[in-house]
Every structure is written in C-alpha cells, then in structure tokens.
Amino acid sequence: MDRHVSELLHSLPGKVFPPESQQYTESVHSYFSAQESQIKPACVVRPGTTADVVTAISLLVKANQLQGVGSVKFAIRSGGHACFAGSANVADGVTIDLRDLNLIEVKKQGSTQLCVGAGASWGQVYRALDPLGLAIPGGRHSQVGVGGLTLGGGLSHFSGHVGLVCDNVLEYEVVLASGSIVRATPNDLEYSDLFYALRGGSNNFGIVTRFTFRTFPQGHLWGGTLIHPIETKTQQLQAFYDFCGDSYDPSASLIHSFGMSSERGSGFVTSIVYTKPEHEPAVVKPFTEIQPVYQNTLRELSLTALTLEQDAFNENGLCQIMIATTYYLHLPLLHRTYHLWQDSCDSVRHCTGIVWSVTLQPITPTIIAHSPFLQEAIPDLARNSNKTVVVAQLTGTWKDSEDTAAVEATALKLIDSIDREARAVEMETGYIYLNYAHAGQNVFGEGQRKEGLREISRKYDPEGIFQRAVPGGFKLF
C-alpha cells in the first residue's frame, strides 16, 4: 500500500494526507459514529475537482488490475453520517473524502436548477437557498451529506409534494471505473439506464461528484419538536395512525419517536413540520393537544434553523447504530412495535450513556405517487397501492465500545421480532429504506429490480471495481 500512497501523493500534491498529517486526523475524527472514526485508512484523499477524482480512481483501478480486483481497497465518503463500521471508511486502504466538492450553484435553464457537489452538507445547501426563497428536498439534519442521502433515496420534509430526494435529481455527474466522466440524465439514450440505477443505487456504479436538482419556491415553515412523557403512548400511537389516514396533508411531515435515555429517562419526541408558514395547522393539533407536554418548540422558522434544531438530537463521536424495517400501517402493529422496543430496553439499559429509540415515519400513498423510485423499490406495490408504508427505525447511541456487541445483537433481534410480527398479520412490505439500513441488510431485495441493477453494474463496471474494491455501503453481488 505504501507504493500506492506514494503514487497518489505524486499525482495529487496537497490533496493526499498520510496518518501523521493534521488533515488526516480531522477527516478520521469527523465521522458521525465512533465505529467509523476508529478505522484507520492508509491515507485520505481530498479531491477538489472532478478531475482529481478521475486521477485517484485511475490510479486505484490500475493498482487493482495489477494485483487483482479487490486487493487495493478504497472508500467513498460524503458527509460520513452512516453509522456502521466501514460504510464510508476503510482500514489500511484509501478513503476518498469528497467534502471539498461542495460547490452550490443556482442556474436558470427554463426553470431554476441547483448544482450541488457531492461533498456538500444539507446545512450548506439550505444556507445558500433560504435567502433566495428556494428549496430542494433534502436531509433533516444539517451535517448529513448530499451524496449519501441522495444515492440512498432520501426522505425529506417535502416528500408529500415532490417524492424522495432522488426523484428530484435532473442530472448526475459520475466518474466511472474507466476514468470517464459521465453526465447521466433521464432523457439521454446513452446513459438513461445509469441515471435510473443511481436512484437509490448507492455507491455501486461510480463516484458521483455532482448533482443537479430541480428547485421550488419555499419561504418559512411551521415546525419544531414536542416532548411528552412515555405514559401518553396510547394517544401518541393513535395520533400517528390518524395522521396517515385518508385526510393526510401532503404539506405535513412527521418524525415520531419513543425512546429511553439512561441519563434523561423515557418519552416521546415528535418532530412535526408544515411546509407552509401556517400558524398551528390542524394536522398538528392531535399531537399538541396531548397533555402533559414537557417541551413545545413549534414556531415559524427557516429550513436552516429547523435543521439546526434537529442536530441537537444527533451527537457526533458516540458509538451508534441505525437499523430499520418497514411494514404497512396497522394500529395493533404500532403497539406491538412499542412493546417489543420496551422489552428490548432491559438488554441495553446497563450500557454506559445508552439512548435507545424507535422512530416511526410514514410513506403515504401520496408520497409514493410522487416517487418513481419508490414505485420500483417497494415489492408488490400494485396490490397495496392504497396503503401507507411505515418506516420503523431503531437508533442507539452509547459511550463504551465494549458494549457494541451486546447493543448490535439486541438491535438485530428487535428488528427481526418486528418483521416476524408484520409477517404474522400479513403487513410486511419487503422494502428496506437504505439510508437507515445496517450492514448486511438486503436493501435491494431479490427479483427484477436487483437483477436490473446488476446488469447495469456489469455494463459500467465490468471488472467489478465498485463491488469488490469498495467494500462499504450495500453491494449488488
């Protein structure tokens, strides 16, 4: 590996950082999870241009061709917000840190579009767009990277009107394993298949260096956070169920969590956003009327301010786990999910600094109707087109890495138990939301969609560089 690092240093002066450098230390220590920060690559590459990415890829592909594909490992990092070890970092390999590819440029081509570098954060995007009265669908936390969220699908506060984040991409700029720079659009006959594969296709086809999004007018929103005692469980789950019903309001976004903290106790934390500056819209009243309430921050605010508030619930540098499943909306299943979570708390309560929560988010038929990606990704959707899909996401944070094995085992058991309950009442969907998935989850399923993605992978990466030399993320083979 020393020889390959030397070649990178020679070819990309000032952009390749070995372990003794300050830039290496900053990169490695800036991941969201401790598991990722504990991984030590041989060097970190910080490309500043797409041409730099081409140089790095060309050298790494050549090394793999000479020594055998998979012998020289590399990782691709945007925001570094994925939790599991090796998702965007690689031990003794080369980590390509894209955060200097952070261009944000508004352009007009008939309609207003936004070009965004894959290493930009959503906080940077919103700070650029808020003064212009514009928005694009994106992350709910400011430090999340544009690249990872978009390539995983991307739920947002605006999904009720415009679908997922990936449904709003007009063009991907991609560096392929061949070193070619491709601009994939849906109407380009040559690369339209690559365009569709990149919607929720993760890092399986190349390194995306830039996205072009469609924008829409957006001023202030109404939103914030409610915190209630855990004893309000019955009212909370009923309110969540009713939110997703026939009167669903596409301007409303809901992130509904119940959790336990070893330091702060248990409770419900509800993030509600209304994408119009309407004071106390009717859709939030079933939640605001639940008493007692410990905290209520609902107010008119900017998208930037909203994401900064959400950051308070995501502390960097702790041991972290995210894992998720989905099922069709079913009130008894919501209650079973709660009780399974409650039972699991005893297995992790001893872990130092544990925060253990399940978050419920609805993907309503309205959202699906606006999302060509979801229409392909959710199996057997035609038979269930009038049903709401519930994303059930387990999140855990703790302070001592010695507890990691026990926490991960409990998390896997909990999600497996929820899946069994969903199958028992015939409410399973077969869909896993990639952005919340844990290592080893089969996010691409089995069947026509996965086979189609594999075929496109073979076309654009015939040697399997992004399957075998990039171990992070979720692979097709």
Side-chain angles (χ1 to χ4, degrees):
M1 180 58 73
D2 289 346
R3 177 165 60 88
H4 305 309
V5 173
S6 296
E7 290 175 348
L8 287 165
L9 282 163
H10 176 74
S11 301
L12 291 168
K15 296 175 182 178
V16 180
F17 304 103
E20 62 271 16
S21 65
Q22 180 181 347
Q23 294 90 339
Y24 176 100
T25 301
E26 184 280 329
S27 179
V28 169
H29 289 169
S30 64
Y31 285 91
F32 180 52
S33 76
Q35 295 99 310
E36 280 281 74
S37 291
Q38 289 165 1
I39 292 174
K40 306 305 179 192
C43 70
V44 172
V45 178
R46 293 287 296 262
T49 65
T50 300
D52 291 341
V53 176
V54 171
T55 299
I57 284 293
S58 298
L59 289 170
L60 291 166
V61 169
K62 181 181 176 182
N64 274 282
Q65 290 170 334
L66 289 172
Q67 297 180 217
V69 175
S71 60
V72 180
K73 299 287 197 297
F74 62 99
I76 307 160
R77 183 236 172 115
S78 174
H81 204 259
C83 291
F84 61 86
S87 51
N89 200 1
V90 60
D92 302 320
V94 176
T95 294
I96 302 176
D97 183 339
L98 300 177
R99 286 179 297 156
D100 289 338
L101 296 181
N102 56 10
L103 168 78
I104 300 172
E105 179 183 16
V106 177
K107 62 179 184 178
K108 289 216 176 223
Q109 289 189 351
S111 60
T112 303
Q113 300 175 1
L114 185 74
C115 294
V116 185
S121 70
W122 288 106
Q124 290 172 315
V125 171
Y126 300 147
R127 285 193 294 273
L129 291 181
D130 273 348
L132 304 177
L134 296 172
I136 61 174
R140 277 80 65 95
H141 300 280
S142 68
Q143 74 267 38
V144 172
V146 170
L149 183 76
T150 306
L151 292 174
L155 287 166
S156 84
H157 294 307
F158 304 101
S159 292
H161 285 297
V162 298
L164 269 59
V165 176
C166 67
D167 295 305
N168 292 269
V169 176
L170 301 173
E171 180 183 275
Y172 299 90
E173 181 182 82
V174 194
V175 178
L176 303 177
S178 64
S180 300
I181 302 172
V182 166
R183 292 179 177 85
T185 68
N187 300 318
D188 185 332
L189 294 178
E190 187 173 5
Y191 299 118
S192 59
D193 56 349
L194 179 60
F195 177 89
Y196 289 110
L198 289 167
R199 292 188 317 184
S202 191
N203 61 5
N204 285 292
F205 306 96
I207 297 183
V208 176
T209 52
R210 188 175 66 189
F211 303 86
T212 301
F213 293 93
R214 67 171 62 91
T215 68
F216 50 83
Q218 180 64 47
H220 277 193
L221 319 94
W222 176 265
T225 302
L226 297 167
I227 300 179
H228 290 91
I230 201 72
E231 290 76 18
T232 61
K233 176 258 299 182
T234 300
Q235 296 162 277
Q236 297 284 350
L237 296 180
Q238 185 66 54
F240 178 90
Y241 181 82
D242 293 341
F243 176 93
C244 308
D246 294 336
S247 59
Y248 167 74
D249 187 333
S251 296
S253 166
L254 176 63
I255 303 174
H256 198 49
S257 303
F258 42 89
M260 174 271 292
S261 165
S262 63
E263 299 173 355
R264 296 187 295 275
S266 301
F268 275 83
V269 179
T270 307
S271 171
I272 304 177
V273 175
Y274 201 69
T275 57
K276 303 173 184 177
E278 182 178 323
H279 185 80
E280 295 186 357
V283 70
V284 311
K285 290 183 179 178
F287 297 95
T288 58
E289 290 174 353
I290 296 173
Q291 295 297 324
V293 58
Y294 293 155
Q295 179 176 310
N296 181 342
T297 70
L298 292 171
R299 64 203 187 280
E300 183 179 324
L301 73 174
S302 68
L303 190 51
T304 297
L306 178 66
T307 56
L308 289 173
E309 178 175 305
Q310 291 300 307
D311 288 349
F313 296 99
N314 288 264
E315 183 179 348
N316 282 18
L318 298 174
C319 298
Q320 311 262 4
I321 189 169
M322 281 193 292
I323 185 170
T325 187
T326 65
Y327 50 77
Y328 289 109
L329 181 67
H330 184 64
L331 185 58
L333 192 51
L334 295 176
H335 283 271
R336 284 299 297 144
T337 299
Y338 174 87
H339 288 296
L340 288 168
W341 163 79
Q342 191 175 47
D343 291 344
S344 75
C345 290
D346 289 338
S347 298
V348 296
R349 204 179 301 275
H350 67 281
C351 300
T352 305
I354 189 72
V355 178
W356 190 248
S357 63
V358 167
T359 297
L360 306 174
Q361 295 182 61
I363 302 177
T364 65
T366 301
I367 293 173
I368 295 169
H370 287 294
S371 175
F373 164 69
L374 286 174
Q375 292 164 28
E376 295 177 2
I378 301 174
D380 298 323
L381 184 63
R383 296 190 296 113
N384 299 284
S385 59
N386 63 338
K387 294 180 180 178
T388 288
V389 173
V390 176
V391 179
Q393 171 202 5
L394 172 72
T395 303
T397 66
W398 62 102
K399 295 180 179 179
D400 190 342
S401 60
E402 291 188 3
D403 292 324
T404 296
V407 172
E408 291 189 349
T410 304
L412 291 168
K413 181 180 178 182
L414 174 56
I415 291 298
D416 184 63
S417 298
I418 294 172
D419 284 340
R420 283 202 309 272
E421 293 285 342
R423 286 193 297 270
V425 293
E426 299 183 345
M427 289 292 164
E428 74 276 19
T429 71
Y431 171 61
I432 298 173
Y433 178 61
L434 186 151
N435 294 115
Y436 297 158
H438 186 57
Q441 287 194 280
N442 187 7
V443 299
F444 300 113
E446 301 295 339
Q448 185 176 351
R449 178 172 180 257
K450 187 171 187 177
E451 285 307 310
L453 293 173
R454 283 176 166 176
E455 183 178 341
I456 296 167
S457 171
R458 294 186 192 102
K459 176 180 176 180
Y460 291 101
D461 182 19
E463 295 178 285
I465 296 293
F466 288 95
Q467 301 303 309
R468 295 154 61 190
V470 182
F474 300 92
K475 302 292 99 171
L476 294 168
F477 296 92

